């Protein structure tokens, strides 16, 4: 582990179970780049409670998410893997940023608009609006240079950059202004029931997402029911969003180049396309699922591993919080 490598930070919410969109859009990218950086991968439980979560289910989902990170290939001997609420600095820095973030910036966030519209306006928690400020704190707390995420997080990342620049302008150079890193393929996997919506953990439609822990028979059913279009077979000139999404999933798993994809799938009937997408998804998820079950069978070891990571990086967070407090004129011991 080299201290001189630039830090990267990313995280996922422990809401439900991670799906192939989370995997192909973010998690797999983390596993591929982890050794080039000083990586910090967080289970962002404080973000999860911006919408009500059943406490027992949340507690379980935290373990599940951490175990899936490792099962997917995050190396906990190299990368920090921990839970956000283990390190108090996330919340401390978030408050400081809340005080220098104009409300207008938050009102423009499309994810807030989409999620708050789903709820009755008066029951929307303030935390849902402040969510991107906490996300800025997560990243800037570790002075991360690179943030590998899916495309849906681009707007939040731009806000993080704006907050860092504003703080630096108000109080003097303090924070590294981070860059977003999107994957080349798979940055936006869409819902199988509605290919105009990104695949999301919180959809109520059971035919929407393929969870990383789905059984092969269920994966087959889910792809079998996936929306396509009125053509009988793949036509690259006229294909609709549903077919594009199935091809994008296949390509993200296989890593095949565009011309090879076209040569293989042009003219293929949808039944066969779905079969191919099912096969590759099952094959890629199988080893991850096996490792996941091993990790979940020994919770003591899983928790010890999270504690070791948190203990290792807590001093980095404390250093940044102390610096931000001094810069803003707050009391520092
Ligand atoms: N459909 C997607 N395609 C590609 N990448 C995606 N990500 C999420 N959905 C897709 C990426 O996964 C990471 C973790 O996301 P998250 O759990 O923090 O939050 P989210 O974006 O809100 O995920 P969901 O699945 O939509 O959860 P809910 O429904 O609970 O809000 C991020 O890097 C994200 O880009």
């Amino acid at each position: 582990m080299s201290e001189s490598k630039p830090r990267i930070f990313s995280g996922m919410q422990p809401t439900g179970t991670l799906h192939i969109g989370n995997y192909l859009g973010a998690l797999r990218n983390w596993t591929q780049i982890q050794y080039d950086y000083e990586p910090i991968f967080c289970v962002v439980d404080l973000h999860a409670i911006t919408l009500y979560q059943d406490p027992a289910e949340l507690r379980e989902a935290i373990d599940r998410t951490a175990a899936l990170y490792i099962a997917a290939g995050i190396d906990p001997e190299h990368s920090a893997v921990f839970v956000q609420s283990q390190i108090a600095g996330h919340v401390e820095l978030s408050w400081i940023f809340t005080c220098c973030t104009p409300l207008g910036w938050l009102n423009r966030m499309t994810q807030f608009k989409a999620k708050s519209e789903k709820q009755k306006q008066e029951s929307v928690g303030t935390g849902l609006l402040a969510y991107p400020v906490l996300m800025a704190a997560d990243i800037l707390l570790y002075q991360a240079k690179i943030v590998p995420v899916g495309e849906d997080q681009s707007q939040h990342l731009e806000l993080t950059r704006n907050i860092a620049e504003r703080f630096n302008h108000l109080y003097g150079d303090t924070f590294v202004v981070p860059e977003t890193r999107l994957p080349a393929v798979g940055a936006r996997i869409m819902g199988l029931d509605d290919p105009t919506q990104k695949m999301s953990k919180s959809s109520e439609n059971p035919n929407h997402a393929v969870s990383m822990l789905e059984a092969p028979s269920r994966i087959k059913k889910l792809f079998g029911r996936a929306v396509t279009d009125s053509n009988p077979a793949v036509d690259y000139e006229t294909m609709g969003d549903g077919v594009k999404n199935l091809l994008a999933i296949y390509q993200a798993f296989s890593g095949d180049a565009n011309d090879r994809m076209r040569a293989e799938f042009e003219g293929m009937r949808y039944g066969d396309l779905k079969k191919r997408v099912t096969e590759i998804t099952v094959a890629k998820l199988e080893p991850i699922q096996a490792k996941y079950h091993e990790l979940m069978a020994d919770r003591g070891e899983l928790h010890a591993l999270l504690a070791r990571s948190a203990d290792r990086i807590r001093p980095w967070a404390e250093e940044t919080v102390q610096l931000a407090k001094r810069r803003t004129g707050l009391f520092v011991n």
Side-chain angles (χ1 to χ4, degrees), residues 10-27 30 44 47-48 51 53 65 69 111 115 118 131 135 147-154 156 182-183 186-191 197-203 208:
S10 204
M12 305 213 187
Q13 298 185 65
T15 45
T17 301
L18 302 184
H19 50 66
I20 57 169
N22 298 128
Y23 177 66
L24 296 171
L27 182 51
W30 303 356
V44 290
H47 284 279
L51 295 175
Q53 306 295 326
T65 307
Y69 284 5
Q111 197 179 79
K115 287 195 173 180
K118 278 195 198 158
Y131 173 113
M135 182 166 156
V147 188
V149 285
E151 205 176 77
D152 59 308
Q153 291 299 330
S154 297
H156 289 162
L182 300 179
R188 197 174 186 84
I189 301 297
M190 311 309 281
Q197 301 293 320
K198 73 154 191 155
M199 188 175 282
S200 160
K201 291 188 231 98
S202 55
S203 168
H208 171 83

Side-chain angles (χ1 to χ4, degrees), residues 23 60 109 133 136 168 271 330:
Y23 177 66
E60 189 62 15
M109 295 295 113
V133 180
N168 289 348
L330 294 168

Side-chain angles (χ1 to χ4, degrees), residues 162-200:
N162 292 341
I163 291 175
E165 280 162 0
R166 187 172 169 92
F167 188 100
N168 289 348
H169 174 74
L170 288 173
Y171 299 109
D173 230 11
T174 307
F175 291 104
V176 170
V177 180
E179 293 161 29
T180 310
R181 175 73 57 89
L182 300 179
V185 210
R188 197 174 186 84
I189 301 297
M190 311 309 281
L192 299 186
D193 59 329
D194 177 0
T196 64
Q197 301 293 320
K198 73 154 191 155
M199 188 175 282
S200 160

Side-chain angles (χ1 to χ4, degrees), residues 59-60 62-71 76 81-83 86 292 294-309:
R59 192 56 207 81
E60 189 62 15
I62 291 170
D63 283 3
R64 192 158 64 226
T65 307
L68 275 172
Y69 284 5
I70 299 164
V81 179
F82 73 107
V83 184
Q86 289 179 293
Y292 166 84
E294 253 174 53
L295 288 159
M296 288 295 270
D298 189 351
R299 299 290 181 107
E301 180 46 34
L302 181 66
H303 296 164
L305 182 156
L306 297 173
R308 282 198 297 276
S309 277

Side-chain angles (χ1 to χ4, degrees), residues 218-235:
R218 173 102 187 110
I219 294 176
K220 186 170 173 224
K221 276 208 184 90
L222 283 166
F223 283 123
R225 289 177 192 150
V227 168
T228 50
D229 54 34
S230 54
N231 296 332
V234 178
D235 176 349

